[in-house]
Amino acid sequence: MASIHERIPWHEGESMMQQKLHIPPQENPTNPFLTPSGAYLIQHSPLLALGTLDDKGRPWTTLLGGKAGFARPLGHSVMGIRTMVDPSYDPVINSLLASNDGDESVEQADKYRAVSALTIDLATRSRYKLAGSMVAGALGQLGDASGSGQEHQASPTEAQIVIKIERSLGNCPKYINKKQIIPTIPEPALVSGTLPLSAEAIELLAKADLFFVTSSYDGSSMGTNNRGGPRGFVRVMQNDFSGTTLVYPEYSGNRLYQTLGNLCVFPKVGIVVPDFDTGNVLYTTGTTEIVLGRDCAAILPRSNLAVKVHLEKARFVRHGLAVKAQPGEPSPYNPPVRFLATERAGSDAQAANRQVVYAKLIKKELLTPSIGRFRFSVSDPEVAGRIEPGQYVALAFEDELGTGYSHMRDDDPMSLNDDLIRTFTVSSSMQGNLPQDEFEITIRNVGKVTKFLFRQNVKAGIEVPIQGFAGTFVIRQPDGEVVPFVAGGIGITPLLAQLPDLDLGRIKLLWTINNKDIGLVLDSFDRCPQLARSTTVFVSGAADAAVRGQELQTMPRLEQYGAQVLPRRMVGSDIQGLQGLSTTWYICAGSALRQALLSWLPGKKVVYEDFDY
């Protein structure tokens, strides 16, 4: 055993992972003993994730918990655990404390099994990694297993476990969503012990914002940690009788890559996903695949590093946990959910081109104080490919706006997972007056990248890499039908790009706009006067504009073009009262208006493009 003065060296997998990601040399901060801060957190945390290998060498993870103090330091680098467990369906408890035939009444554990753990307090976002050996353990049986039908019932049992801690390391609070833990009595019922995953398990993954993961280097060196993010950050890539594969992004962290280092050498992982609303729990074990760079972006756009988990075994247990929780504040470091390329048509634009093509800013027009039109030329149109109607362009701004690595940045936490790749709907038509090597985007000044563009002097000639063109939001006009399109503010851009391809006499445009943005409407009608005659414009904020004076003076100009102008917000009767329109509606709007429209259009086919990504 290492002394207090000795440093634990990186193992080959950790070194390999750090080299792949070009991490500067650093010392391993892992301690070869239980530190005082780790001992304090063990005693004051209501949760402890525990991992081990089963008799087939597969990692599993469980989540133990209750009131703070169920786990506590017993002496120098020794931890004791006493808590309610599920001995029948919990794979870790079964591996550590049950005999080979699954008899949960065994009183003495198989000693000196390699284990790892993570003590964690979600209320304070505090966590500490632990690893070592189980030196003693026993089960106290409280009842008999029983059950029938598809769900097999088991009675909870008290477990006592003693662990010799040989390594420990404190971790940062990033990506931990606060929760207040509530102890409960587990009433475990096995819902499913086979693959593919059950519907309940899929529903759990769709809402999960936290899971715990166990990995191993050589069977004696193990690690357990958590992964957190926004609800649904774990994506289901495949779930059928030919296989089940999960994918999750690896966000920017402390750059130690201990879990991924283990997976480089021993690509097996055990994951437990708790449902803190119900006490349900999903246990899985499987083989991993680490994906980097463009290969990662092709699977999970906007990501540079992710893990694919090909499940080999899974158990979904209803009411298997000894805890529930009340949700609290989400982590300010959480990025938006990153969807699989297969979940959004064309969302793999970022990985479409492997040869770098640049977009050069050549023209900028301000249409309103916060909306502008930007024209770019393409350095190599042949490589970039032809722009089709209804597509967007993905542009990379890392070279212009990247600030280098930073572990924590409380003044701007979201920036740490900002890859500075942005997608913008192409608002120009390839049938218009632009050369074939140029395109336009019409955007609102709302964030870091758009503010950068609005500040640019065209004479500076900035160039940014084009990640690709993609998207399939194409407006189709069946013979004889008038097709409705609802635009919310800047959501007019997909329609603008397709105007030359459409019969504007068979378009019904319902456009809701803030009075401050009327300049966008005037510009659109100036460019295509025929569009106005098919348009009803809903102008919100009109009362405030009347007080300030100027904006309402432009509204008569809209009517002069032939548009119908209503100085109010759109309401359900505006939509439901329309007659003679196609049953297919096209929508491009923010989430609030989109949800309202969907509720106003029961029985209609709705095709929409959203801004959620």
Side-chain angles (χ1 to χ4, degrees):
M1 177 178 170
S3 74
I4 192 170
H5 300 293
E6 293 177 340
R7 285 286 184 181
I8 297 174
W10 299 112
H11 67 61
E12 59 180 301
E14 293 165 333
S15 298
M16 185 188 312
M17 198 68 213
Q18 292 169 12
Q19 290 170 9
K20 283 183 178 181
L21 296 170
H22 308 289
I23 305 303
Q26 58 184 325
E27 289 188 333
N28 188 341
T30 303
N31 303 292
F33 53 87
L34 177 60
T35 65
S37 57
Y40 177 88
L41 190 58
I42 288 171
Q43 190 165 354
H44 291 85
S45 296
L47 292 177
L48 185 128
L50 183 65
T52 194
L53 304 179
D54 66 13
D55 57 3
K56 296 182 179 179
R58 300 174 301 198
W60 291 92
T61 313
T62 189
L63 183 62
L64 308 178
K67 293 182 179 180
F70 80 94
R72 61 180 58 225
L74 301 180
H76 180 65
S77 294
V78 176
M79 173 178 67
I81 303 169
R82 183 174 184 176
T83 187
M84 301 292 290
V85 297
D86 164 18
S88 295
Y89 312 125
D90 183 326
V92 173
I93 296 301
N94 192 258
S95 293
L96 292 177
L97 300 179
S99 64
N100 290 334
D101 62 5
D103 179 7
E104 64 272 18
S105 64
V106 173
E107 294 184 357
Q108 182 61 43
D110 179 14
K111 293 184 178 181
Y112 308 114
R113 290 282 296 273
V115 296
S116 55
L118 180 78
T119 183
I120 185 167
D121 184 355
L122 298 179
T124 62
R125 297 193 173 111
S126 302
R127 56 177 172 157
Y128 221 90
K129 293 176 60 180
L130 311 164
S133 304
M134 184 183 73
V135 296
L139 290 172
Q141 185 67 33
L142 299 182
D144 297 326
S146 63
S148 60
Q150 294 183 342
E151 295 185 3
H152 302 281
Q153 300 285 337
S155 298
T157 300
E158 183 181 78
Q160 297 185 55
I161 302 173
V162 179
I163 295 174
K164 175 64 175 177
I165 297 172
E166 297 156 1
R167 299 187 181 193
S168 69
L169 177 65
N171 274 190
C172 72
K174 288 169 66 176
Y175 317 120
I176 296 178
N177 303 300
K178 285 189 173 182
K179 301 182 193 299
Q180 193 66 43
I181 296 300
I182 304 170
T184 186
I185 301 297
E187 299 176 352
L190 181 64
V191 176
S192 175
T194 60
L195 294 171
L197 295 176
S198 66
E200 284 186 84
I202 295 297
E203 291 174 4
L204 170 54
L205 289 170
K207 70 175 185 178
D209 63 3
L210 171 70
F211 68 81
F212 298 90
V213 54
T214 293
S215 59
S216 175
Y217 167 56
D218 58 5
S220 61
S221 176
M222 300 185 63
T224 296
N225 211 334
N226 73 293
R227 293 294 185 267
R231 289 164 63 94
F233 77 104
V234 180
R235 311 308 299 169
V236 181
M237 189 174 188
Q238 180 183 4
N239 186 47
D240 53 38
F241 287 101
S242 63
T244 298
T245 301
L246 309 181
V247 180
Y248 67 87
E250 284 282 348
Y251 299 140
S252 170
N254 57 19
R255 303 204 296 181
L256 301 182
Y257 299 110
Q258 292 177 311
T259 299
L260 295 185
N262 287 345
L263 299 183
C264 280
V265 178
F266 183 68
K268 300 282 186 178
V269 74
I271 289 175
V272 61
V273 186
D275 186 340
F276 287 112
D277 297 330
T278 63
N280 298 344
V281 59
L282 173 64
Y283 303 103
T284 70
T285 188
T287 301
T288 61
E289 179 183 348
I290 300 170
V291 284
L292 296 164
R294 290 186 179 274
D295 292 335
C296 178
I299 297 169
L300 198 65
R302 299 172 181 261
S303 299
N304 296 315
L305 178 60
V307 176
K308 294 169 66 175
V309 185
H310 306 284
L311 299 189
E312 298 173 356
K313 296 285 289 184
R315 298 178 185 177
F316 184 81
V317 181
R318 192 173 293 155
H319 308 308
L321 296 177
V323 294
K324 295 181 181 179
Q326 292 179 341
E329 177 190 36
S331 170
Y333 288 89
N334 286 344
V337 172
R338 298 171 182 177
F339 295 92
L340 295 168
T342 54
E343 293 181 282
R344 291 183 182 273
S347 64
D348 57 345
Q350 299 169 47
N353 296 323
R354 295 189 177 271
Q355 181 175 338
V356 179
V357 180
Y358 289 90
K360 180 179 180 179
L361 180 63
I362 60 174
K363 187 176 182 180
K364 177 177 73 173
E365 299 175 86
L366 295 183
L367 307 180
T368 78
S370 63
I371 295 176
R373 181 166 52 238
F374 297 80
R375 183 180 301 177
F376 294 86
S377 62
V378 180
S379 63
D380 192 335
E382 184 175 346
V383 174
R386 176 181 171 82
I387 305 172
E388 300 295 337
Q391 288 195 316
Y392 59 78
V393 60
L395 301 176
F397 291 85
E398 172 66 29
D399 292 342
E400 302 293 337
L401 296 174
T403 58
Y405 173 76
S406 178
H407 179 211
M408 300 281 284
R409 193 177 296 158
D410 290 334
D411 60 329
D412 186 15
M414 290 293 289
S415 67
L416 293 188
N417 276 295
D418 189 349
D419 55 16
L420 297 172
I421 294 174
R422 296 294 187 271
T423 55
F424 301 107
T425 301
V426 176
S427 59
S428 57
S429 169
M430 299 310 294
Q431 306 301 322
N433 298 323
L434 294 184
Q436 292 296 303
D437 63 345
E438 295 180 7
F439 68 91
E440 291 178 335
I441 59 175
T442 304
I443 59 177
R444 186 183 297 279
N445 188 357
V446 293
K448 178 187 293 187
V449 169
T450 52
K451 287 178 181 177
F452 169 77
L453 287 173
F454 272 75
R455 289 196 306 265
Q456 290 306 303
N457 187 326
V458 173
K459 294 181 181 179
I462 66 156
E463 293 184 315
V464 294
I466 298 175
Q467 299 295 97
F469 294 94
T472 56
F473 189 60
V474 180
I475 302 165
R476 307 189 186 281
Q477 289 181 297
D479 291 341
E481 294 188 13
V482 178
V483 175
F485 187 102
V486 183
I490 201 73
I492 193 66
T493 51
L495 178 62
L496 297 180
Q498 299 178 61
L499 290 178
D501 304 314
L502 298 172
D503 177 358
L504 298 185
R506 294 192 295 113
I507 284 285
K508 177 58 180 177
L509 172 60
L510 301 153
W511 192 354
T512 176
I513 196 90
N514 188 277
N515 68 84
K516 297 178 182 179
D517 297 329
I518 287 179
L520 174 61
V521 185
L522 290 171
D523 177 81
S524 301
F525 290 170
D526 283 340
R527 291 183 137 205
C528 184
Q530 187 182 353
L531 177 64
R533 296 190 288 272
S534 302
T535 302
T536 299
V537 183
F538 298 85
V539 183
S540 63
D544 293 338
V547 173
R548 291 194 302 268
Q550 300 299 320
E551 289 90 343
L552 285 179
Q553 296 179 12
T554 60
M555 292 177 61
R557 290 181 57 192
L558 301 180
E559 295 173 334
Q560 291 173 7
Y561 278 105
Q564 180 185 13
V565 182
L566 300 174
R568 58 173 176 80
R569 294 182 180 274
M570 181 187 296
V571 296
S573 58
D574 295 318
I575 302 297
Q576 296 161 343
L578 295 173
Q579 303 292 328
L581 300 180
S582 171
T583 56
T584 299
W585 285 64
Y586 292 85
I587 297 173
C588 187
S591 59
L593 177 57
R594 185 175 71 247
Q595 292 302 317
L597 288 164
L598 292 173
S599 70
W600 296 340
L601 294 169
K604 305 293 186 183
K605 179 181 178 182
V606 178
V607 180
Y608 63 84
E609 177 149 292
D610 61 59
F611 307 133
D612 293 350
Y613 61 93

